[in-house]
């Protein structure tokens, strides 16, 4: 019973942690880049982007896709922050009035999110806590940023808010500001932007939606010669999503090992019970009970023990998940894992499947050892001590 309880608890915890971790990392990547991006084909692997034309008609057409929940424009400009003591490379990302602030608002630790515009510039920025700490900056400070084109251009910006996602690849890179400011730095026309970010309603249909939009838009030229190129977040970040997919293999290894441990524990337990009850088995056979009836009785007894162990396993596993989600007892290094505490996710369907799978596998492994009952002879077993 203890083997079943420990094994099931480990399986529940492993699945909850891996699903929670994948969800946290995926949501942060999507929060910075949305589900689907439409950019210029000439700017596939560079932050120094070539623009595309995105007018009101295109924004309306993209929003009309039934699978799309939100559409927003963005522009980027690589540059550098410089203070008296240090300097740091960064990417200034501009967004317009249609910007969805929910993701940044969730991780905002100081200040407020400015009202972003595509027609005027407030010269206000959101900066990550990691960058602010590294550059010794605080809320309300004026920062000097520099951008290199044919000549060096400078802009003085005011820190309006500080966010912290613990996703270092983005926290150490992006400053968020007005679309108008970035477009003026790039020297672009009003309808030109780096690209468009699309949010989908159902992530499970991401590939199908990407293909549908790409079929309509890919390789089309805009009015100024830019070529549209559609990619989803998994295509934009293949290393991160390949790494997350590898975690599934770890879960399968844990599940197989734990089911194996639990099964072998029950096999040894059933064999001990049969040996201890050899005299009783002989008496039952002498009274006319057949092998199938006796085997079924012992298997039902084993199922009772398995069920008792599973109850304890569920209690331990779910208790850990609840405590961790509420109090964050186990911490992680955000520089390595992108989260500061071990995340957990409650997926009731998966927990039910784990329980059913454990029960089925354990009972299946007990069928073979139960055939030992057929080898017991009534005449000799009733003298067995």
């Amino acid at each position: 019973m203890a083997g079943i309880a420990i094994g099931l608890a480990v399986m529940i915890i492993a699945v909850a942690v891996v699903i929670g971790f994948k969800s946290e990392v995926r949501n942060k990547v999507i929060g910075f880049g949305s589900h689907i991006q439409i950019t210029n084909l000439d700017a596939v692997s560079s932050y120094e982007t070539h623009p595309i034309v995105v007018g009101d008609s295109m924004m309306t057409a993209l929003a009309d896709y039934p699978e799309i929940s939100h559409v927003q424009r963005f522009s980027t400009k690589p540059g550098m922050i410089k203070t008296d003591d240090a300097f740091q490379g960064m990417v200034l990302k501009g967004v317009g009035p249609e910007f969805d602030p929910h993701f940044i608002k969730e991780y905002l630790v100081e200040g407020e999110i400015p009202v972003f515009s595509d027609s005027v510039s407030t010269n206000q920025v959101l900066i990550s806590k990691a960058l602010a700490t590294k550059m010794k900056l605080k809320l309300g400070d004026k920062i000097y940023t520099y951008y290199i084109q044919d000549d060096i251009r400078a802009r003085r910006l005011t820190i309006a808010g500080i966010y912290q996602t613990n996703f270092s690849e983005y926290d150490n890179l992006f400053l968020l500001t007005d679309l108008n400011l970035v477009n003026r730095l790039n020297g672009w026309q009003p309808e030109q932007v780096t690209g468009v970010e699309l949010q989908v309603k159902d992530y499970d249909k991401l590939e199908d939606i990407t293909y549908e939009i790409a079929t309509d838009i890919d390789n089309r030229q805009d009015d100024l010669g830019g070529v549209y190129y559609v990619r989803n977040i998994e295509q934009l970040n293949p290393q991160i999503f390949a790494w997350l997919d590898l975690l599934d293999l770890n879960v399968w290894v844990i599940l197989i090992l734990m089911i194996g441990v639990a099964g072998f524990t029950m096999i040894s337990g059933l064999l001990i019970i049969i040996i201890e009850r050899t005299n009783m088995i002989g008496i039952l056979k002498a009274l006319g009970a057949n092998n199938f009836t006796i085997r079924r009785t012992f298997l039902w007894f084993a199922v009772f023990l398995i069920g008792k162990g599973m109850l304890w396993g569920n209690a331990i596993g779910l208790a850990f998940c609840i405590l961790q989600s509420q109090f964050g007892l186990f911490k992680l290094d955000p520089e390595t894992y992108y989260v500061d505490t071990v995340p957990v996710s409650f997926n009731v369907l998966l927990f039910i499947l784990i329980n059913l799978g454990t029960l089925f596998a354990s009972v299946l492994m007990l069928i073979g050892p139960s055939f030992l009952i057929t080898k017991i002879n009534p005449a000799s077993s009733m003298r067995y001590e």
Side-chain angles (χ1 to χ4, degrees):
M1 187 180 77
I4 290 286
I6 295 172
L8 186 60
V10 170
M11 287 188 280
I12 289 175
I13 293 170
V15 169
V17 169
V18 169
I19 293 176
F21 181 76
K22 289 180 66 176
S23 178
E24 282 286 319
V25 174
R26 188 183 73 183
N27 289 341
K28 288 181 180 181
V29 176
I30 292 171
F32 280 106
S34 201
H35 293 103
I36 299 173
Q37 286 188 8
I38 303 173
T39 56
N40 194 311
L41 182 61
D42 294 331
V44 171
S45 59
S46 173
Y47 285 113
E48 189 65 67
T49 56
H50 300 270
I52 55 174
V53 174
V54 180
D56 292 339
S57 59
M58 183 174 179
M59 292 285 286
T60 302
L62 291 172
D64 284 342
Y65 281 90
E67 304 88 355
I68 299 299
S69 61
H70 185 72
V71 181
Q72 62 187 37
R73 299 161 297 163
F74 73 97
S75 291
T76 57
K77 179 68 175 175
M80 181 179 68
I81 306 172
K82 188 179 183 303
T83 64
D84 294 337
D85 303 319
F87 61 90
Q88 173 71 38
M90 58 81 182
V91 173
L92 192 65
K93 180 176 181 179
V95 293
E98 71 276 9
F99 171 68
D100 182 359
H102 289 94
F103 172 75
I104 288 295
K105 189 177 293 184
E106 181 181 350
Y107 295 100
L108 194 69
V109 293
E110 287 184 75
E112 60 182 9
I113 300 173
V115 178
F116 296 117
S117 173
D118 58 356
S119 56
V120 296
S121 176
T122 61
N123 290 324
Q124 292 184 318
V125 295
L126 293 176
I127 188 173
S128 73
K129 187 175 182 180
L131 270 178
T133 302
K134 187 181 296 185
M135 304 297 293
K136 299 179 181 178
L137 299 170
K138 62 183 184 298
L139 189 68
D141 280 357
K142 309 289 185 181
I143 59 173
Y144 286 91
T145 60
Y146 299 87
Y147 311 90
I148 301 175
Q149 288 175 290
D150 297 332
D151 56 357
I152 298 177
R153 306 179 68 179
R155 285 291 184 277
R156 191 177 76 162
L157 306 174
T158 303
I159 298 176
I162 298 175
Y163 68 89
Q164 182 182 17
T165 68
N166 291 317
F167 200 80
S168 57
E169 291 189 19
Y170 291 94
D171 280 2
N172 293 328
L173 190 63
F174 283 104
L175 274 66
L176 209 60
T177 189
D178 296 291
L179 184 68
N180 176 265
L181 171 61
V182 179
N183 281 355
R184 284 195 291 112
L185 286 170
N186 283 320
W188 292 345
Q189 297 184 23
E191 289 192 339
Q192 287 184 306
V193 291
T194 296
V196 187
E197 295 176 335
L198 312 175
Q199 294 180 13
V200 303
K201 296 176 181 177
D202 186 354
Y203 183 83
D204 293 333
K205 298 179 180 178
L206 180 63
E207 288 295 332
D208 295 335
I209 299 168
T210 304
Y211 178 78
E212 181 183 352
I213 295 174
T215 301
D216 296 336
I217 295 176
D218 253 5
N219 297 318
R220 279 180 48 200
Q221 280 196 351
D222 62 27
D223 296 338
L224 298 176
V227 179
Y228 297 114
Y229 185 47
V230 180
R231 289 175 295 170
N232 61 41
I233 197 68
E234 295 183 5
Q235 294 166 339
L236 288 164
N237 301 275
Q239 301 91 343
I240 293 176
F241 283 91
W243 169 53
L244 293 179
D245 289 339
L246 281 176
L247 296 178
D248 293 335
L249 178 62
N250 297 339
V251 172
W252 280 111
V253 170
I254 292 172
L255 292 178
I256 292 170
L257 287 176
M258 290 300 100
I259 288 177
V261 169
F264 283 116
T265 301
M266 288 307 303
I267 288 172
S268 60
L270 180 62
L271 291 175
I272 292 171
I273 293 171
I274 291 173
I275 292 172
E276 287 180 346
R277 299 290 189 273
T278 300
N279 187 272
M280 184 189 76
I281 293 170
I283 295 173
L284 289 173
K285 285 189 175 184
L287 292 173
N290 58 37
N291 288 321
F292 176 76
T293 301
I294 300 173
R295 283 178 55 226
R296 186 176 60 183
T297 302
F298 276 83
L299 285 174
W300 273 113
F301 181 67
V303 168
F304 170 77
L305 294 178
I306 292 171
K308 195 173 180 181
M310 288 175 63
L311 286 175
W312 278 106
N314 279 285
I316 296 170
L318 293 176
F320 170 86
C321 293
I322 293 171
L323 290 173
Q324 180 61 25
S325 65
Q326 294 297 318
F327 303 106
L329 302 177
F330 295 90
K331 305 295 183 181
L332 292 174
D333 178 11
E335 289 293 323
T336 303
Y337 297 101
Y338 306 129
V339 290
D340 54 2
T341 62
V342 174
V344 292
S345 175
F346 291 89
N347 190 312
V348 177
L349 178 60
L350 278 180
F351 291 166
I352 292 173
L353 290 176
I354 290 172
N355 277 271
L356 293 176
T358 301
L359 179 62
F360 177 77
S362 299
V363 173
L364 196 64
M365 285 188 278
L366 292 178
I367 292 175
S370 71
F371 277 97
L372 179 62
I373 292 171
T374 64
K375 305 297 181 183
I376 296 175
N377 186 283
S380 58
S381 64
M382 285 188 287
R383 297 195 302 270
Y384 179 79
E385 293 295 336

